[in-house]
Amino acid sequence: MGKFEYAPAPESRAVVSLRESYGLFIGGEFTPGVDGRGFKTISPATEEVLAEVTEAGPADVDRAVTAARRAYEHTWALMPGTERAKYLFRIARIVQEKARELAVLESLDNGKPIRESRDVDIPLAAAHFFYYAGWADKLEYAGYGPAPRPLGVAGQVIPWNFPLLMLAWKIAPALACGNTVVLKPAETTPLTALAFAEICRQADLPPGVVNIVTGAGETGRALVTHPGIDKVAFTGSTEVGKEIARACAPTRKKLTLELGGKAANIVFEDAPVDQAIEGIVNGIFFNQGHVCCAGSRLLVQESVYSEVLAALRRRLETLRLGDPLDKNTDVGAINSASQLAKIRELSQVGEAEGAQRWSPPCDLPVKGFWFPPTVFTGVSQAHRIAREEIFGPVLSVLTFRTPAEAVEKANNTPYGLSAGIWTDKGSLILWMASRLRAGVVWANTFNKFDPTSPFGGYKESGYGREGGRHGLEAYLDV
Ligand code: NDP
């Protein structure tokens, strides 16, 4: 699709050596599951089977929690922060050294363009380990008292949209604070977590400090409800987040939840249009829209609506959709058949409720899971596509006349994870930012991440912060 023909520029798969099957990573060793069950992980771009992965049952989760407890009590929590920091620095360096292999593996298993896994996911994952390595011996200066103590064993459940990056967000601060972890990656994207297990071995991390249990929702449930867990950290859907909150409520477990979003990306009439268009495209089409903080509701000031829409359509006609391993690809594959079904269903609902649907001309590959970049106009606040998280490359466009109306519409959502403001006026940015009920507000940019900056939500987007000094609080007994 687009005006220019590009020659294919595929990244080589040769850098990745996949095993036929993977065990669970418990106590520093790869071990088979107790009941011998497994599942296949596939490439969403081709439906090719990549590997067979072990499905951890409750007995396996119990083994992993026991290994984590032993490592916590006998090794990790006793180790001085300066020593823990050395391991974290070592892990960060190995992630950097293996960056190309990890990027290819992530794109194969997840379907995201190699340009994104290479330039965003993997460098940010390494940066998180570097950043929290720096905190490990300075915790007494973090503002949580003179001798902050770890919590114990953390049970961490992560989604499929940024597999290695979410692992880094969870594991790096937990280890820096002296906790040990049992992490469950998403069923559709376990491979980079298993590659990370190898990295832990290469870094000589003491056995049991990091344990990886693969499996589906049942494995996650067994982990978060295990009585030996002191802290639960979850990123995923609001529905599952609520279930976990209910399960943890009667216990002493500390809980942080990073859930869904329906962010408003707000364009004022004085915004530089070309810059805003790049921000809109990055806001909703980055990672196929599988982003909790995606700018999925575009609010455009009425006076520039036609200009912005025309420029957006022109820009979308130049996006290239296809092979995630091609370095020219902008839009990769949808992560799974079930996510594709959800995106299709909500898009059909959008049309049925009266919004106008548009996509640039675009050939979709025959095999795999694909959805074209899609824009809905004529959307009202009552439409489901304006209220529900689609978690795909689908943008709903609404209009407003005054800043007050923009604030009201932006806040008219059960979520509150992020928002974007595009304007030339600094005073308007500050006026808006103080009224938007969102954990992160970007001004004249979107989807910018940095390990030093806290990230998290309001309302049904969850609670607790990840990243920055604030991210330490979730893993300290404060
Ligand atoms: P889920 O919330 O089901 O998945 C997130 C993680 O939780 C996965 O590892 C999942 O395992 C695990 N899990 C599922 N059920 C339980 C449970 N009862 N107890 C503990 N862990 C559990 O998200 P989905 O993948 O089903 O996606 C559904 C929708 O959620 C998406 O369409 C999107 O709207 C939203 N979502 C939001 C994300 C965000 O970052 N805010 C991330 C992912 C999804 P498994 O993968 O094996 O099911």
Side-chain angles (χ1 to χ4, degrees):
M1 119 194 179
K3 295 195 167 69
F4 302 100
E5 285 308 319
Y6 280 67
E11 178 69 62
S12 168
R13 271 181 71 158
V15 66
V16 166
S17 50
L18 281 168
R19 292 197 217 149
E20 235 168 70
S21 65
Y22 290 84
L24 307 168
F25 185 65
I26 297 177
E29 301 291 336
F30 281 97
T31 99
V34 167
D35 56 18
R37 284 198 309 205
F39 60 96
K40 292 179 171 49
T41 183
I42 64 168
S43 152
T46 59
E47 297 174 60
E48 166 202 351
V49 173
L50 297 172
E52 171 97 13
V53 180
T54 304
E55 185 180 335
D60 301 308
V61 169
D62 189 53
R63 282 196 297 147
V65 173
T66 305
R69 172 68 54 196
R70 197 177 306 124
Y72 176 73
E73 286 175 358
H74 298 294
T75 319
W76 198 245
L78 310 178
M79 196 181 271
T82 43
E83 292 300 308
R84 290 201 306 273
K86 285 184 196 168
Y87 286 103
L88 288 169
F89 278 123
R90 209 180 281 167
I91 288 171
R93 295 285 295 272
I94 301 173
V95 170
Q96 282 188 323
E97 278 164 22
K98 290 179 175 271
R100 194 154 158 238
E101 177 185 341
L102 292 168
V104 172
L105 192 57
E106 199 75 301
S107 284
L108 273 176
D109 206 19
N110 169 282
K112 65 173 68 200
I114 186 78
R115 209 161 47 82
E116 294 179 5
S117 49
R118 182 195 62 194
D119 298 348
V120 181
D121 294 58
I122 310 303
L124 271 178
H128 263 81
F129 279 100
F130 275 119
Y131 175 73
Y132 281 110
W135 270 117
D137 62 348
K138 303 174 194 69
L139 295 174
E140 63 266 42
Y141 306 111
Y144 302 111
R149 291 204 321 260
L151 291 164
V153 177
Q156 308 178 316
V157 178
I158 56 171
W160 40 262
N161 51 347
F162 295 92
L164 190 71
L165 183 57
M166 289 301 106
L167 174 150
W169 280 29
K170 297 275 179 286
I171 292 185
L175 264 48
C177 292
N179 305 274
T180 57
V181 306
V182 180
L183 176 128
K184 190 200 89 68
E187 182 184 5
T188 57
T189 53
L191 293 182
T192 45
L194 293 163
F196 183 81
E198 299 274 14
I199 290 173
C200 292
R201 275 160 64 114
Q202 201 179 329
D204 271 334
L205 191 71
V209 173
V210 167
N211 304 273
I212 311 278
V213 288
T214 44
E218 275 309 308
T219 308
R221 187 179 282 127
L223 177 58
V224 301
T225 56
H226 193 289
I229 294 286
D230 302 294
K231 193 248 152 35
V232 173
F234 173 78
T235 298
S237 62
T238 294
E239 191 191 347
V240 174
K242 285 181 180 173
E243 183 187 326
I244 293 175
R246 276 192 293 271
C248 290
T251 73
R252 59 177 173 77
K253 290 173 191 167
K254 192 164 170 175
L255 174 64
T256 42
L257 297 172
E258 201 266 271
L259 309 175
K262 192 74 191 175
N265 203 359
I266 306 163
V267 179
F268 285 95
E269 59 190 1
D270 62 346
V273 171
D274 288 345
Q275 208 178 315
I277 294 297
E278 290 311 307
I280 296 164
V281 170
N282 175 35
I284 185 64
F285 301 115
F286 169 66
N287 203 27
Q288 296 70 249
H290 300 329
V291 183
C292 45
C293 52
S296 52
R297 282 184 301 151
L298 175 63
L299 303 189
V300 189
Q301 198 154 17
E302 221 171 72
S303 46
V304 288
Y305 173 79
S306 307
E307 186 190 349
V308 168
L309 256 285
L312 180 61
R313 287 186 172 145
R314 273 198 307 277
R315 178 68 178 92
L316 293 187
E317 280 169 5
T318 68
L319 289 184
R320 289 177 295 274
L321 175 148
D323 180 5
L325 288 187
D326 190 318
K327 284 172 254 182
N328 292 323
T329 294
D330 299 303
V331 181
I334 300 301
N335 180 253
S336 65
S338 63
Q339 189 59 31
L340 179 59
K342 182 182 165 188
I343 298 168
R344 282 186 176 146
E345 188 212 319
L346 273 167
S347 300
Q348 278 155 12
V349 169
E351 277 182 296
E353 288 186 337
Q356 287 86 54
R357 177 178 181 163
W358 180 86
S359 289
C362 161
D363 294 326
L364 298 184
V366 181
K367 284 218 115 188
F369 316 128
W370 302 92
F371 198 86
T374 299
V375 177
F376 276 99
T377 50
V379 179
S380 88
Q381 294 187 83
H383 286 162
R384 274 181 68 192
I385 54 168
R387 291 185 288 122
E388 294 180 29
E389 186 177 46
I390 301 173
F391 224 62
V394 182
L395 180 66
S396 300
V397 186
L398 297 96
T399 58
F400 66 92
R401 290 181 186 165
T402 63
E405 189 187 345
V407 169
E408 198 170 310
K409 285 186 168 167
N411 287 341
N412 185 12
T413 166
Y415 296 111
L417 196 54
S418 66
I421 307 166
W422 297 84
T423 170
D424 216 18
K425 293 189 190 66
S427 56
L428 184 55
I429 290 171
L430 295 175
W431 190 90
M432 292 289 295
S434 62
R435 284 162 180 80
L436 290 171
R437 301 200 65 214
V440 182
V441 180
W442 285 293
N444 293 325
T445 186
F446 208 91
N447 273 342
K448 276 271 182 293
F449 298 98
D450 191 278
T452 62
S453 174
F455 182 88
Y458 273 63
K459 302 193 278 185
E460 293 198 15
S461 291
Y463 41 80
R465 293 292 177 267
E466 293 183 293
R469 184 187 66 81
H470 304 71
L472 296 166
E473 187 180 348
Y475 291 97
L476 291 172
D477 189 8
V478 287

